[in-house]
Coordinates of all heavy atoms in Angstrom, one line a residue:
W1 N -26.8 46.8 -60.7 CA -26.0 46.1 -59.6 C -24.6 46.5 -59.7 O -23.9 46.7 -58.6 CB -26.2 44.6 -59.8 CG -26.2 43.8 -58.4 CD1 -25.8 44.4 -57.2 CD2 -26.5 42.5 -58.2 NE1 -25.9 43.4 -56.2 CE2 -26.3 42.2 -56.8 CE3 -26.9 41.4 -59.0 CZ2 -26.5 41.0 -56.2 CZ3 -27.1 40.2 -58.5 CH2 -26.9 40.0 -57.1
Y2 N -24.0 46.6 -60.9 CA -22.6 47.0 -61.0 C -22.4 48.4 -60.5 O -21.5 48.7 -59.8 CB -22.3 47.0 -62.5 CG -20.9 47.4 -62.8 CD1 -19.8 46.5 -62.9 CD2 -20.5 48.8 -63.0 CE1 -18.5 46.9 -63.1 CE2 -19.2 49.2 -63.3 CZ -18.2 48.2 -63.3 OH -16.9 48.7 -63.6
D3 N -23.4 49.3 -60.8 CA -23.3 50.7 -60.4 C -23.7 51.0 -58.9 O -23.7 52.1 -58.4 CB -24.1 51.6 -61.3 CG -23.5 51.7 -62.7 OD1 -22.3 51.5 -62.8 OD2 -24.3 51.9 -63.6
S4 N -24.2 49.9 -58.2 CA -24.8 50.1 -56.9 C -25.9 51.0 -56.8 O -26.0 51.9 -55.9 CB -23.7 50.5 -55.9 OG -22.6 49.6 -55.9
T5 N -26.8 50.9 -57.8 CA -28.0 51.8 -57.9 C -29.3 51.1 -58.0 O -30.3 51.5 -58.6 CB -27.8 52.8 -59.1 OG1 -27.7 52.0 -60.3 CG2 -26.7 53.7 -59.0
L6 N -29.3 49.9 -57.4 CA -30.5 49.0 -57.6 C -31.8 49.7 -57.0 O -32.8 49.7 -57.7 CB -30.3 47.7 -56.9 CG -29.3 46.7 -57.6 CD1 -29.0 45.5 -56.6 CD2 -30.0 46.2 -58.9
K7 N -31.7 50.2 -55.8 CA -32.8 50.8 -55.2 C -33.3 52.1 -55.9 O -34.5 52.3 -56.2 CB -32.5 51.2 -53.7 CG -33.7 51.8 -52.9 CD -33.3 52.1 -51.5 CE -34.5 52.7 -50.7 NZ -34.1 53.0 -49.3
E8 N -32.3 52.9 -56.3 CA -32.7 54.1 -57.1 C -33.3 53.8 -58.4 O -34.2 54.5 -58.9 CB -31.4 54.9 -57.3 CG -30.8 55.5 -56.0 CD -29.9 54.5 -55.3 OE1 -29.9 53.3 -55.7 OE2 -29.2 54.9 -54.4
E9 N -32.9 52.7 -59.0 CA -33.5 52.3 -60.3 C -34.8 51.5 -60.2 O -35.4 51.3 -61.2 CB -32.4 51.5 -61.1 CG -31.2 52.3 -61.5 CD -31.5 53.4 -62.5 OE1 -32.3 53.2 -63.4 OE2 -30.9 54.5 -62.4
G10 N -35.2 51.1 -59.0 CA -36.5 50.5 -58.8 C -36.4 49.0 -58.7 O -37.5 48.3 -58.8
F11 N -35.3 48.4 -58.4 CA -35.2 46.9 -58.3 C -35.2 46.5 -56.9 O -34.5 47.1 -56.0 CB -33.9 46.4 -59.0 CG -33.9 46.6 -60.5 CD1 -33.2 47.6 -61.1 CD2 -34.6 45.7 -61.3 CE1 -33.2 47.8 -62.5 CE2 -34.6 45.8 -62.7 CZ -33.9 46.9 -63.3
V12 N -36.0 45.5 -56.6 CA -36.0 44.8 -55.3 C -35.6 43.4 -55.4 O -36.1 42.7 -56.2 CB -37.4 44.9 -54.6 CG1 -37.4 44.2 -53.3 CG2 -37.8 46.4 -54.5
L13 N -34.6 42.9 -54.6 CA -34.1 41.6 -54.7 C -34.6 40.7 -53.5 O -34.6 41.1 -52.4 CB -32.6 41.6 -54.7 CG -31.9 41.9 -56.1 CD1 -32.3 43.3 -56.6 CD2 -30.4 41.8 -55.9
E14 N -34.9 39.4 -53.9 CA -35.2 38.4 -52.9 C -34.5 37.2 -53.2 O -34.3 36.8 -54.4 CB -36.7 38.2 -52.9 CG -37.6 39.4 -52.5 CD -39.0 39.1 -52.7 OE1 -39.5 39.1 -53.9 OE2 -39.7 38.8 -51.7
W15 N -34.0 36.5 -52.1 CA -33.3 35.3 -52.3 C -34.1 34.1 -51.8 O -34.7 34.1 -50.8 CB -32.0 35.3 -51.5 CG -30.9 34.3 -52.0 CD1 -30.5 33.2 -51.4 CD2 -30.3 34.4 -53.3 NE1 -29.6 32.6 -52.1 CE2 -29.5 33.2 -53.3 CE3 -30.3 35.2 -54.4 CZ2 -28.7 32.9 -54.4 CZ3 -29.6 34.9 -55.5 CH2 -28.8 33.8 -55.5
A16 N -34.1 33.0 -52.6 CA -34.9 31.8 -52.3 C -34.2 30.9 -51.3 O -33.0 30.8 -51.2 CB -35.1 31.0 -53.6
D17 N -35.0 30.3 -50.5 CA -34.5 29.4 -49.5 C -33.9 28.2 -50.2 O -34.4 27.7 -51.2 CB -35.7 28.9 -48.6 CG -35.2 28.0 -47.5 OD1 -34.8 26.9 -47.7 OD2 -35.3 28.5 -46.3
S18 N -32.7 27.7 -49.7 CA -32.0 26.7 -50.4 C -32.8 25.4 -50.5 O -32.6 24.5 -51.4 CB -30.6 26.4 -49.7 OG -30.8 26.1 -48.4
N19 N -33.7 25.2 -49.5 CA -34.5 24.0 -49.5 C -35.9 24.1 -50.1 O -36.6 23.2 -50.3 CB -34.7 23.5 -48.0 CG -33.3 23.1 -47.4 OD1 -32.5 22.5 -48.0 ND2 -33.1 23.6 -46.2
N20 N -36.3 25.4 -50.4 CA -37.6 25.7 -50.9 C -37.5 26.9 -51.8 O -37.4 28.0 -51.4 CB -38.6 25.9 -49.8 CG -40.0 26.1 -50.4 OD1 -40.3 26.1 -51.6 ND2 -41.0 26.4 -49.5
K21 N -37.5 26.6 -53.2 CA -37.3 27.7 -54.1 C -38.4 28.7 -54.2 O -38.3 29.7 -54.8 CB -37.0 27.1 -55.5 CG -35.6 26.5 -55.7 CD -35.3 26.1 -57.1 CE -33.9 25.6 -57.3 NZ -33.6 25.3 -58.7
N22 N -39.6 28.3 -53.6 CA -40.7 29.2 -53.6 C -40.8 30.1 -52.4 O -41.8 30.8 -52.2 CB -42.0 28.4 -53.8 CG -42.0 27.7 -55.1 OD1 -41.7 28.3 -56.2 ND2 -42.4 26.4 -55.1
K23 N -39.9 29.9 -51.4 CA -39.9 30.7 -50.2 C -38.7 31.7 -50.3 O -37.5 31.4 -50.4 CB -39.7 29.8 -49.0 CG -39.7 30.6 -47.7 CD -39.5 29.6 -46.5 CE -39.5 30.4 -45.2 NZ -39.3 29.5 -44.0
F24 N -39.1 33.0 -50.3 CA -38.1 34.1 -50.6 C -37.9 35.0 -49.3 O -38.8 35.2 -48.6 CB -38.5 34.9 -51.8 CG -38.4 34.2 -53.1 CD1 -39.5 33.5 -53.5 CD2 -37.3 34.3 -53.8 CE1 -39.4 32.8 -54.7 CE2 -37.2 33.6 -55.0 CZ -38.3 32.9 -55.5
T25 N -36.7 35.5 -49.2 CA -36.3 36.5 -48.2 C -35.7 37.7 -48.9 O -34.8 37.6 -49.7 CB -35.3 35.9 -47.2 OG1 -35.9 34.7 -46.6 CG2 -35.0 36.9 -46.1
T26 N -36.1 38.9 -48.5 CA -35.6 40.1 -49.1 C -34.1 40.2 -48.8 O -33.6 40.0 -47.7 CB -36.3 41.3 -48.5 OG1 -37.7 41.2 -48.8 CG2 -35.8 42.6 -49.2
L27 N -33.4 40.5 -49.9 CA -31.9 40.8 -49.8 C -31.8 42.2 -49.4 O -31.7 43.1 -50.2 CB -31.3 40.5 -51.1 CG -29.8 40.1 -51.1 CD1 -29.6 38.8 -50.3 CD2 -29.3 39.8 -52.5
K28 N -31.6 42.5 -48.1 CA -31.6 43.9 -47.6 C -30.4 44.7 -48.1 O -30.5 45.9 -48.3 CB -31.7 43.9 -46.1 CG -33.0 43.3 -45.5 CD -33.0 43.4 -44.0 CE -34.3 42.8 -43.4 NZ -34.3 42.8 -41.9
D29 N -29.3 44.0 -48.2 CA -28.1 44.7 -48.6 C -27.5 44.0 -49.8 O -26.7 43.0 -49.6 CB -27.0 44.8 -47.5 CG -25.8 45.6 -47.9 OD1 -25.8 46.2 -49.0 OD2 -24.8 45.6 -47.1
P30 N -27.8 44.3 -51.0 CA -27.3 43.7 -52.2 C -25.8 43.9 -52.4 O -25.2 43.3 -53.3 CB -28.1 44.3 -53.4 CG -29.2 45.0 -52.7 CD -28.8 45.4 -51.4
Y31 N -25.2 44.8 -51.6 CA -23.8 45.1 -51.7 C -23.0 44.5 -50.5 O -21.9 45.0 -50.3 CB -23.6 46.6 -51.9 CG -24.6 47.2 -52.8 CD1 -25.6 48.0 -52.3 CD2 -24.6 46.9 -54.2 CE1 -26.6 48.6 -53.1 CE2 -25.6 47.4 -55.0 CZ -26.6 48.3 -54.5 OH -27.5 48.8 -55.3
D32 N -23.5 43.6 -49.9 CA -22.9 43.0 -48.7 C -21.6 42.3 -49.2 O -21.5 41.6 -50.1 CB -23.8 41.9 -48.1 CG -23.3 41.4 -46.7 OD1 -22.1 41.2 -46.6 OD2 -24.1 41.2 -45.9
G33 N -20.5 42.7 -48.4 CA -19.2 42.2 -48.8 C -19.0 40.7 -48.8 O -18.0 40.1 -49.3
K34 N -20.0 40.0 -48.2 CA -19.9 38.5 -48.2 C -20.1 37.9 -49.6 O -19.6 36.8 -49.8 CB -21.0 38.0 -47.2 CG -20.9 38.3 -45.8 CD -22.0 37.8 -45.0 CE -21.9 38.2 -43.5 NZ -23.1 37.7 -42.7
F35 N -20.8 38.6 -50.4 CA -21.0 38.1 -51.8 C -20.9 39.2 -52.9 O -20.9 38.8 -54.1 CB -22.4 37.5 -51.9 CG -23.5 38.4 -51.5 CD1 -24.0 39.4 -52.4 CD2 -24.1 38.3 -50.2 CE1 -25.1 40.2 -52.0 CE2 -25.2 39.1 -49.9 CZ -25.6 40.1 -50.8
Y36 N -20.6 40.4 -52.5 CA -20.4 41.5 -53.5 C -19.0 42.1 -53.3 O -18.7 42.6 -52.3 CB -21.5 42.6 -53.3 CG -21.5 43.7 -54.3 CD1 -22.4 43.7 -55.4 CD2 -20.6 44.8 -54.1 CE1 -22.4 44.7 -56.3 CE2 -20.6 45.8 -55.1 CZ -21.5 45.8 -56.1 OH -21.5 46.8 -57.0
G37 N -18.2 41.9 -54.4 CA -16.9 42.4 -54.3 C -16.4 43.1 -55.6 O -16.9 42.8 -56.7
V38 N -15.5 44.1 -55.5 CA -15.0 44.8 -56.6 C -13.5 44.4 -56.8 O -12.7 44.4 -55.9 CB -15.1 46.3 -56.5 CG1 -14.5 47.0 -57.7 CG2 -16.5 46.7 -56.2
N39 N -13.2 43.9 -58.0 CA -11.9 43.4 -58.3 C -11.4 44.0 -59.7 O -12.0 43.6 -60.7 CB -11.9 41.9 -58.3 CG -10.5 41.3 -58.6 OD1 -9.5 42.0 -58.5 ND2 -10.4 40.0 -58.8
S40 N -10.5 44.9 -59.7 CA -9.9 45.5 -60.9 C -11.0 46.0 -61.8 O -11.0 45.9 -63.0 CB -9.1 44.4 -61.7 OG -8.1 43.9 -60.9
G41 N -12.0 46.7 -61.2 CA -13.1 47.3 -61.9 C -14.3 46.5 -62.2 O -15.3 46.9 -62.7
D42 N -14.1 45.2 -62.0 CA -15.2 44.2 -62.2 C -15.9 44.0 -60.9 O -15.3 44.1 -59.8 CB -14.8 42.9 -62.7 CG -14.1 43.0 -64.1 OD1 -14.4 44.0 -64.8 OD2 -13.3 42.1 -64.5
V43 N -17.2 43.7 -61.0 CA -18.0 43.3 -59.8 C -18.2 41.8 -59.7 O -18.8 41.3 -60.7 CB -19.3 44.1 -59.7 CG1 -20.2 43.5 -58.6 CG2 -19.1 45.6 -59.5
E44 N -17.8 41.2 -58.6 CA -18.0 39.8 -58.5 C -19.1 39.4 -57.5 O -19.1 39.9 -56.4 CB -16.7 39.1 -58.0 CG -15.5 39.3 -59.0 CD -14.2 38.7 -58.5 OE1 -14.1 38.3 -57.4 OE2 -13.2 38.7 -59.3
I45 N -20.1 38.7 -58.0 CA -21.2 38.3 -57.2 C -21.1 36.8 -56.9 O -21.2 36.0 -57.8 CB -22.6 38.5 -58.0 CG1 -22.7 40.0 -58.5 CG2 -23.8 38.2 -57.1 CD1 -22.8 41.0 -57.4
S46 N -20.8 36.5 -55.7 CA -20.6 35.1 -55.3 C -21.9 34.5 -54.6 O -21.9 34.2 -53.4 CB -19.4 35.0 -54.4 OG -19.6 35.8 -53.2

């Protein structure tokens, strides 16, 4: 995730519904700027 190589390394991410933890939606862009940011060399996942 830090290196932005999730797909190449074989990882698929899904996010659970806030009201139902057993209902998942594929996280199509794990590097979306809404929750993925780079700050002074660190990667912040919000």
